[in-house]
């Protein structure tokens, strides 16, 4: 079943279909090419690769995990300009990774998947996109979980007389010079945007529902001498990666609510705020009312000082409604604005991509997950044969690099494919009981962490079940221990032999 536009496409019918060309899809493609097959296609709805780093171009966008670690282990980069690289540089890095691996011939842009249906007769996935239909034995979803902007349901926002934009869909044509600007949200994007635009706007109002914990960023530029050393000696980068990784792991002890570590983390964040804010009233407003680690701990050296500027107002309540050009907070204060910037995050626990994937009985992943998302080893789902999810349920981290998690998952998928080839299995499908046990185990672990016991509401939590279904509730290295090596035990009974 090949649509007109894919009739002549040599990759319309392949072994493996990957959907999404961010770090997950590109990393998977590189490893497949190197280890297994050329019979794969990467479908991407946008007109270029890059995922988060293509879509997020707001002023100040940069990573929060030091770049030497926030990169693939198989392609370290001696050229990072600074410890926390700007978004544009990360995007260029990912393009280079794809170019070096000659992935171009596998990429199909402008190919937005509208459905993926498992066809039990042919034992293949049928993927319908805006660029035609593709079929493959395996489907790898690499559609991300910080991909689709979350737009708050604020009465009157549709009738706002000025301009509204989400931080992840920044419009560079919107001139902020001399404008009255409202920023909604105090998460990772907001604390990067606010210092980057405050000096050019006439007035900036920041609507803060909840104060975040923020620690010092301690960013710096790499010198030419350091870069030279990295070029000459890749081991030096590996050593730096190791030390950054284990520093991140150390910080997880606080999220596990170990009292001494918790106290140390709390002290570090609060003393950072106090060192930058003198006004006791402002300090009060900026002091979080929940336990550290419950939400993402942010990094910034210029956010607090920006709030002390004369042209910046911290409104300590959420944006409640918009009356034409006036934004009104839940505390009843109104501000006349020209531009509203929504730094309100992403659709996380109810992934739009889950509505597009139909498993063995026609059920969608969203239906299968109607009371919360889960996947065995964070990667496979019962009822969805030959489907692998990268960076889906139970993979998000607040304390370390997501690329580490994605790479562990890629190893798992490669292990599963090797096993299926070696044992001549047509179907790789996990048992329902294994998926359930795994989800229960993670929930039990999450209950020992600030994620569930920190007294906050966060984007990690699914309001339908109160569980932290998006997050990996443990040290990052334990994800690799648990999830990087494929063990066929919970799959064997489900599998069907090729040609049987
Ligand atoms: C502003 C920002 C800062 C971040 N900073 C950090 C950080 O410091 N450290 C960290 O570890 N993580 C960070 N992250 C998380 C980041 O998302 C991941 O690290 C990583 O980039 C995820 O890669 P991905 O490929 O899984 O998903 P994405 O990058 O989201 O890529 C998914 C791709 O799938 C495509 N797609 C989606 N739906 C479809 C469809 N239906 N059809 C076709 N294509 C589709 C999208 O267009 C996109 O290109 C940050 C995220 C954001 C948004």
């Amino acid at each position: 079943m090949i649509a007109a536009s894919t009739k002549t496409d040599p990759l319309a019918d392949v072994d493996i279909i990957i959907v999404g060309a961010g770090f997950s899809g590109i990393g998977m493609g590189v490893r497949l090419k190197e280890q297994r097959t050329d019979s794969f296609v990467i479908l991407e709805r946008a007109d270029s690769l890059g995922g988060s780093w293509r879509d997020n171009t707001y002023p100040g966008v940069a990573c929060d995990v030091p770049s030497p670690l926030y990169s693939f282990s198989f392609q370290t980069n001696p050229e990072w300009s600074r410890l926390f690289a700007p978004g544009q540089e990360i995007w260029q890095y990912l393009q280079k990774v794809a170019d070096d691996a000659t992935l171009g011939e596998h990429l199909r842009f402008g190919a937005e998947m509208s459905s993926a249906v498992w066809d039990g007769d042919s034992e293949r996935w049928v993927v319908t996109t805006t660029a035609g239909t593709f079929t493959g034995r395996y489907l790898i979803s690499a559609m991300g979980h910080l991909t689709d902007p979350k737009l708050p349901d604020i009465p009157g926002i549709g009738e706002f007389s000025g301009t509204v934009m989400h931080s992840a869909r920044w419009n560079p044509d919107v001139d902020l010079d001399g404008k009255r600007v409202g920023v909604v949200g105090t998460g990772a994007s907001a604390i990067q945007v606010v210092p980057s635009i405050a000096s050019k706007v006439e007035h900036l109002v920041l609507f803060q529902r909840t104060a975040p914990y923020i620690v010092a960023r301690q960013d710096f530029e790499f010198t030419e001498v350091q870069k030279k050393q990295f070029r000459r000696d890749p081991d030096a980068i590996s050593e730096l990666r190791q030390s950054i990784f284990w520093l991140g792991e150390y910080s997880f002890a606080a999220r596990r609510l170990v009292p001494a570590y918790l106290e140390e983390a709390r002290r570090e964040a609060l003393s950072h705020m106090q060192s930058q804010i003198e006004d006791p009233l402002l300090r009060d407003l900026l002091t979080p009312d929940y336990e550290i680690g419950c939400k993402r701990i942010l990094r910034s050296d210029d956010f607090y000082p920006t709030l002390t500027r004369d042209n910046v107002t911290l409104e300590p309540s959420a944006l409640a409604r918009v009356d034409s050009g006036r934004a009104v907070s839940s505390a009843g204060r109104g501000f006349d604005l020209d531009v509203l910037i929504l730094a309100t995050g992403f659709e996380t626990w109810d992934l739009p991509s889950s509505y597009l994937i139909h498993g063995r009985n026609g059920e969608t992943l969203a239906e299968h997950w109607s009371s919360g998302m889960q996947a065995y080893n964070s990667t496979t789902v019962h009822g969805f044969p030959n489907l692998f999810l990268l960076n889906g349920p139970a993979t998000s981290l607040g304390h370390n690099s997501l690329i580490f998690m994605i790479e562990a998952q890629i190893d798992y998928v490669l292990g599963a494919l090797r096993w299926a080839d070696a044992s001549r299995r047509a179907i790789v499908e996990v048992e329902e009981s294994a998926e359930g046990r795994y989800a229960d185990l993670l929930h039990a672990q999450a209950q020992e962490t600030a994620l569930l016991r920190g007294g906050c509401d966060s984007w990690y939590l699914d309001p339908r079940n109160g569980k932290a279904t998006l997050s990996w509730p443990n040290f990052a290295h334990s994800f690799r221990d648990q999830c990087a090596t494929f063990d066929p035990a919970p799959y064997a009974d489900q599998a069907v032999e090729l040609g049987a």
Side-chain angles (χ1 to χ4, degrees):
M1 195 209 302
I2 296 176
S5 54
T6 46
K7 236 180 203 166
T8 54
D9 189 330
L11 298 183
D13 184 44
V14 280
D15 198 20
I16 300 164
I17 298 174
I18 300 170
V19 188
F23 266 91
S24 296
I26 296 300
M28 189 75 239
V30 172
R31 297 289 310 284
L32 273 177
K33 209 169 162 75
E34 162 200 293
Q35 293 219 348
R36 188 174 186 273
T37 178
D38 257 331
S39 180
F40 67 92
V41 66
I42 306 176
L43 306 174
E44 168 57 54
R45 66 184 173 189
D47 58 7
S48 61
L49 59 83
S52 296
W53 305 103
R54 174 200 63 230
D55 292 341
N56 288 267
T57 55
Y58 58 80
V61 60
C63 64
D64 270 347
V65 168
S67 308
L69 180 64
Y70 189 77
S71 40
F72 288 118
S73 62
F74 57 78
Q75 189 153 345
T76 56
N77 178 20
E79 310 299 337
W80 292 120
S81 63
R82 48 195 318 123
L83 189 63
F84 296 99
Q88 176 81 12
E89 210 179 304
I90 303 171
W91 186 19
Q92 285 162 359
Y93 161 80
L94 195 58
Q95 295 188 39
K96 182 170 184 328
V97 171
D99 287 348
D100 289 357
T102 58
L103 276 193
E105 58 191 321
H106 297 273
L107 283 157
R108 297 291 179 273
F109 296 120
E112 174 157 11
M113 182 177 95
S114 53
S115 75
V117 178
W118 172 252
D119 176 4
D121 294 336
S122 63
E123 292 176 337
R124 295 179 86 70
W125 283 96
V126 180
V127 174
T128 307
T129 78
T130 45
T133 300
F134 294 80
T135 50
R137 183 174 161 204
Y138 297 103
L139 175 65
I140 300 179
S141 167
M143 289 181 271
H145 64 232
L146 302 182
T147 311
D148 295 283
K150 186 180 165 109
L151 300 172
D153 192 12
I154 291 170
I157 201 163
E159 282 75 55
F160 179 54
S161 56
T163 305
V164 183
M165 60 180 161
H166 191 279
S167 55
R169 297 291 181 271
W170 193 263
N171 179 354
D173 297 333
V174 176
D175 183 10
L176 297 180
D177 279 359
K179 297 282 167 39
R180 298 161 303 171
V181 176
V183 176
V184 183
T186 47
S189 299
I191 72 148
Q192 293 179 339
V193 171
V194 167
S196 307
I197 63 171
S199 62
K200 59 161 70 170
V201 305
E202 179 193 306
H203 194 88
L204 188 152
V205 182
L206 175 63
F207 292 89
Q208 171 187 278
R209 188 204 307 265
T210 331
Y213 282 98
I214 303 177
V215 295
R217 193 167 175 79
Q218 294 170 327
D219 196 10
F220 58 83
E221 278 184 28
F222 287 112
T223 63
E224 270 315 306
V225 174
Q226 283 169 316
K227 287 188 212 170
K228 238 185 224 159
Q229 193 201 347
F230 290 149
R231 277 175 217 132
R232 234 189 354 246
D233 177 16
D235 286 351
I237 308 183
S238 303
E239 279 163 28
L240 184 58
R241 281 172 67 88
Q242 283 294 314
S243 48
I244 298 167
F245 177 81
W246 288 107
L247 214 59
E249 291 295 78
Y250 175 86
S251 74
F252 189 75
R255 290 165 172 85
R256 268 265 178 93
L257 302 171
V258 179
Y261 292 90
L262 198 58
E263 183 50 36
E264 182 188 325
R266 208 187 289 132
R267 200 174 336 107
E268 183 189 347
L270 293 181
S271 62
H272 177 57
M273 188 260 285
Q274 286 155 5
S275 72
Q276 296 194 314
I277 302 283
E278 279 177 18
D279 177 358
L281 189 65
L282 197 51
R283 279 186 180 181
D284 236 28
L285 300 179
L286 291 169
T287 303
D289 60 0
Y290 55 87
E291 193 51 273
I292 191 162
C294 188
K295 286 172 178 279
R296 196 175 177 88
I297 301 171
L298 309 179
R299 291 173 187 273
S300 176
D301 293 332
D302 51 7
F303 176 69
Y304 289 136
T306 303
L307 298 184
T308 65
R309 291 174 61 98
D310 289 342
N311 71 334
V312 174
T313 301
L314 176 69
E315 167 52 40
S317 69
L319 174 62
R321 63 173 205 279
V322 175
D323 294 333
S324 186
R326 196 166 173 79
V328 183
S329 73
S330 59
R333 283 178 283 269
F335 303 89
D336 294 325
L337 298 175
D338 305 306
V339 180
L340 254 181
I341 296 168
L342 305 176
T344 44
F346 300 87
E347 299 291 351
T348 50
W349 51 266
D350 190 20
L351 295 179
S353 56
S354 66
Y355 289 83
L356 310 178
I357 301 176
H358 300 253
R360 197 159 15 82
N361 302 322
E363 186 187 43
T364 62
L365 260 184
E367 286 161 346
H368 184 74
W369 288 344
S370 58
S371 53
M373 61 178 174
Q374 61 181 42
Y376 176 72
N377 274 4
S378 307
T379 309
T380 53
V381 182
H382 179 71
F384 293 79
N386 293 5
L387 170 70
F388 300 97
L389 307 174
L390 299 181
N391 194 17
T395 51
S396 189
L397 286 178
H399 73 285
N400 221 318
S401 169
L402 250 177
I403 311 305
F404 177 86
M405 308 294 272
I406 291 168
E407 285 200 64
Q409 289 196 288
I410 291 172
D411 282 341
Y412 188 79
V413 175
L414 291 171
L417 301 182
R418 271 195 302 270
W419 170 75
D421 286 351
S423 58
R424 295 183 46 75
R425 304 277 176 172
I427 307 287
V428 180
E429 183 182 351
V430 73
E431 287 166 14
E432 191 170 15
S433 56
E435 183 188 312
R437 276 196 307 275
Y438 179 79
D440 291 345
L441 173 76
L442 296 196
H443 182 53
Q445 290 179 357
Q447 281 176 318
E448 302 304 310
T449 69
L451 279 172
L452 291 187
R453 286 175 48 199
C456 77
D457 183 21
S458 80
W459 54 265
Y460 296 126
L461 296 184
D462 184 336
R464 294 171 299 188
N465 59 14
K467 294 181 180 175
T469 51
L470 192 68
S471 294
W472 173 248
N474 211 326
F475 292 92
H477 73 271
S478 64
F479 185 79
R480 176 157 273 285
D481 294 346
Q482 163 85 35
C483 300
T485 307
F486 183 78
D487 173 2
Y491 294 87
D493 286 349
Q494 297 282 337
V496 176
E497 282 186 32
L498 271 176

